[in-house]
């Protein structure tokens, strides 16, 4: 009888061991699949499971289900970006590697006076960026630039606070030329119908770097216009200039923020002593609403982190083109990584930024930005 018990025990141990090994194999396959489905910082490996279904993360395009399979080709893939988070390079990268043009919601950016829609008859866009360049094959996704809403730098809360509905409308809104040539052209605001976009690339950048790049964009615009010498002298591209620029924005809207129905006393207390607090508010609101809009529209989403262009350019390019169903025919352009600007802020200011963004973020949005900020939070608060 004793040997029988030993045989039974051995069989049981073998059976349990087999189950454990099978579980390990299955887990390894799943992890490999997840790793190949999203360009994401290793510290954010939980994101794909947190805020998107597995079908949107599969590396097999046949499993990425578009919300409307009847939409004609080519289909639109939004490039959703808070300004200065890598939009320009991403567009140049796709055009260079595929030798084709991309698209935009903003027809006034075109060098031509007449806008050419991606699909014939879509008079409200999106528009080809370069209509004279080679266009992608029919059954692909056309990367289309949109900044959505809630991004204005010097406006009051009533203009930059967005509902999910208003933000979603802004994602499909833009402009077109209203004249017959560039000399007489006027800007016409347009909005195309919901359901045009069938997937989205969501760009994300470190909030400190993103903010300083916003100042750099302002300076570039002042230089281009040629009549803003006072601003260029006052708001220099360094720590001192950033402080001055932030103060000008904060002072201009302080009274309106105090009276705003969107900013309660607790939030105002967090924001009040933080330079450029409204910019950080806009940053995290933008990512919260972008995630919610794509969720409601059931769009497959690729989360693209700015720093991945520096750490893993080739794989990043592969992931983006695979998501668009486009083929690479040329190398990607050199990526000139921007500087890191946390040193433009005092340590206590960095802590306030982290606290503010964590307070305002949805659970899903916090997952995609927390690796930039958790070093500034007390242990156990990230």
């Amino acid at each position: 009888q004793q040997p029988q018990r030993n045989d039974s025990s051995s069989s049981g141990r073998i059976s349990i061991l087999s189950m454990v090994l099978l579980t390990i194999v299955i887990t390894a396959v799943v992890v490999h699949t997840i790793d190949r489905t999203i360009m994401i910082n290793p510290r954010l490996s939980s994101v794909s499971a947190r805020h998107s279904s597995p079908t949107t993360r599969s590396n097999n395009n046949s499993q990425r289900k578009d919300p409307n399979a009847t939409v004609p080709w080519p289909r639109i893939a939004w490039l959703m970006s808070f300004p200065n988070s890598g939009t320009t390079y991403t567009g140049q990268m796709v055009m260079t590697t595929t030798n084709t043009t991309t698209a935009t919601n903003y027809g006034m950016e075109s060098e031509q006076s007449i806008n050419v829609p991606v699909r014939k008859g879509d008079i409200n866009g999106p528009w080809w960026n370069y209509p004279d360049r080679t266009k992608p094959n029919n059954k692909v996704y056309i990367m289309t630039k949109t900044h959505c809403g809630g991004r204005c730098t010097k406006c009051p809360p009533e203009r930059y606070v967005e509902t999910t509905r208003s933000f979603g409308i802004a994602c499909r809104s833009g402009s077109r030329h209203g004249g017959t040539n560039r000399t007489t052209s006027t800007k016409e605001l347009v909005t195309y119908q919901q359901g045009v976009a069938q997937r989205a690339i969501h760009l994300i950048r470190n909030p400190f770097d993103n903010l300083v790049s916003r100042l750099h964009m302002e300076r570039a615009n002042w230089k281009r216009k040629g009549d803003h010498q006072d601003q260029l002298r006052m708001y220099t591209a360094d720590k001192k200039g950033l402080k001055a620029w932030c103060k000008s924005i904060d002072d201009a809207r302080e009274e309106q923020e105090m009276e705003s129905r969107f900013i309660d006393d607790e939030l105002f207390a967090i924001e009040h002593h933080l330079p450029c607090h409204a910019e950080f508010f806009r940053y995290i609101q933008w990512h919260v609403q972008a995630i919610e809009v794509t969720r409601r529209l059931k769009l497959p989403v690729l989360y693209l982190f700015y720093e991945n262009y520096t750490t893993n350019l080739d794989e990043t390019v592969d992931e983006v083109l695979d998501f668009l169903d486009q083929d690479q025919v040329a190398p990607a352009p050199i990526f000139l990584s921007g500087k890191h600007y946390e040193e433009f802020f005092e340590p206590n200011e960095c802590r306030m930024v982290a606290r503010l963004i964590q307070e305002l973020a949805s659970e899903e949005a916090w997952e995609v930005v927390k690796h930039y900020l958790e070093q500034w939070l007390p242990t156990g608060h990230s």
Side-chain angles (χ1 to χ4, degrees):
Q1 291 180 351
Q2 187 66 34
Q4 257 188 338
R5 286 197 296 271
N6 285 341
D7 289 345
S8 176
S9 178
S10 297
S11 297
R13 285 195 297 270
I14 292 171
S15 177
I16 292 171
L17 181 59
S18 299
M19 293 175 64
V20 170
L21 289 172
L22 180 60
T23 301
I24 291 172
V25 170
I26 293 172
T27 302
V29 172
V30 171
V31 168
H32 175 73
T33 302
I34 291 174
D35 283 345
R36 288 289 300 150
T37 61
I38 181 171
M39 275 187 358
I40 199 161
N41 189 299
R43 288 172 290 186
L44 301 177
S45 58
S46 63
V47 170
S48 61
R50 292 293 293 274
H51 62 181
S52 196
S53 64
T55 56
T56 66
R57 299 303 180 184
S58 172
N59 204 43
N60 179 350
N61 277 352
S62 66
Q63 296 181 22
R64 293 192 184 113
K65 296 181 180 178
D66 293 349
N68 185 353
T70 66
V71 170
W73 297 92
R75 294 179 179 173
I76 298 301
W78 278 337
L79 175 62
M80 304 176 75
S81 63
F82 189 70
N84 299 93
S85 57
T87 319
T88 300
Y89 178 81
T90 303
Q92 291 175 343
M93 179 272 289
V94 170
M95 287 192 291
T96 300
T97 56
T98 64
N99 195 29
T100 61
T101 184
T102 55
T104 181
N105 282 2
Y106 311 108
M108 293 298 289
E109 295 179 346
S110 172
E111 291 298 319
Q112 298 187 2
S113 58
I114 303 299
N115 296 132
V116 179
V118 172
R119 289 202 298 265
K120 188 175 181 180
D122 288 352
I123 60 172
N124 294 328
W127 322 101
W128 292 113
N129 268 321
Y130 298 94
D132 294 337
R133 291 189 59 169
T134 302
K135 298 177 178 62
N137 293 328
N138 191 38
K139 295 199 73 172
V140 299
Y141 297 86
I142 309 301
M143 192 175 73
T144 301
K145 172 183 172 181
T146 178
H147 289 312
C148 299
R151 63 186 190 275
C152 55
T153 302
K154 297 181 179 179
C155 55
E158 275 59 28
R159 283 191 55 200
Y160 67 72
V161 175
E162 297 273 1
T163 65
T164 303
R165 175 176 169 78
S166 66
F167 188 88
I169 292 172
C171 289
R172 50 189 174 90
S173 298
S175 60
R176 67 184 177 198
H177 287 288
T180 56
N181 58 67
R182 290 189 64 82
T183 303
T184 62
S185 179
T186 58
K187 182 178 181 179
E188 294 182 355
L189 301 180
V190 292
T191 301
Y192 50 83
Q193 64 184 359
Q194 184 168 298
V196 170
Q198 292 296 296
R199 55 184 55 188
I201 297 172
H202 180 155
L203 270 172
I204 303 165
R205 188 178 184 183
N206 179 304
F208 299 103
D209 300 344
N210 209 156
L211 170 60
V212 177
S213 291
R214 297 261 278 171
L215 169 58
H216 293 170
M217 179 181 67
E218 284 271 85
R219 287 179 51 80
N221 289 336
W222 294 332
K223 289 178 182 179
R224 178 174 51 81
K225 294 175 182 177
D227 58 351
H228 290 75
Q229 295 307 309
D230 289 343
Q231 287 93 330
L232 288 169
R233 282 191 295 269
M234 187 178 302
Y235 309 127
T236 50
D238 54 18
K239 182 176 180 178
K240 182 179 178 181
L242 176 71
K243 296 289 187 182
W245 183 66
C246 287
K247 188 175 188 306
S248 71
I249 296 173
D250 296 341
D251 290 350
R253 298 302 177 190
E254 182 177 17
E255 185 174 341
Q256 291 166 310
E257 289 171 352
M258 291 178 66
E259 297 174 353
S260 174
R261 60 195 174 94
F262 298 114
I263 301 177
D264 56 52
D265 292 343
E266 183 180 355
L267 180 57
F268 185 79
I270 298 174
E271 288 188 341
H272 185 55
H273 299 292
L274 174 62
C276 273
H277 52 264
E279 276 291 283
F280 290 112
F281 181 105
R282 287 186 277 268
Y283 169 91
I284 190 56
Q285 175 195 236
W286 193 97
H287 290 294
V288 167
Q289 296 291 14
I291 289 171
E292 182 60 19
V293 164
T294 54
R295 186 191 67 80
R296 292 188 182 187
L297 294 176
K298 298 180 172 61
L299 301 184
V301 179
L302 183 68
Y303 291 90
L304 175 55
F305 293 85
Y306 179 89
E307 62 267 25
N308 284 0
Y309 285 132
T310 299
T311 59
N312 203 342
L313 178 60
D314 290 341
E315 185 174 344
T316 299
V317 171
D318 289 345
E319 292 285 351
V320 171
L321 297 186
D322 179 73
F323 190 73
L324 298 172
D325 272 354
Q326 297 200 37
D327 296 324
Q328 182 170 357
V329 298
I334 295 173
F335 178 70
L336 301 176
S337 177
K339 296 180 180 178
H340 295 296
Y341 295 102
E342 288 183 13
E343 67 271 15
F344 279 23
F345 298 85
E346 303 302 328
N348 67 308
E349 293 171 345
C350 292
R351 288 190 287 270
M352 283 192 285
V353 170
R355 182 185 172 199
L356 176 66
I357 289 179
Q358 186 181 39
E359 178 72 21
L360 296 174
S362 63
E363 183 178 359
E364 294 86 352
W366 180 244
E367 284 295 325
V368 298
V369 302
K370 72 177 183 180
H371 65 295
Y372 300 124
L373 300 162
E374 54 193 353
Q375 64 177 308
W376 299 108
L377 292 170
T379 304
H381 286 73
S382 60

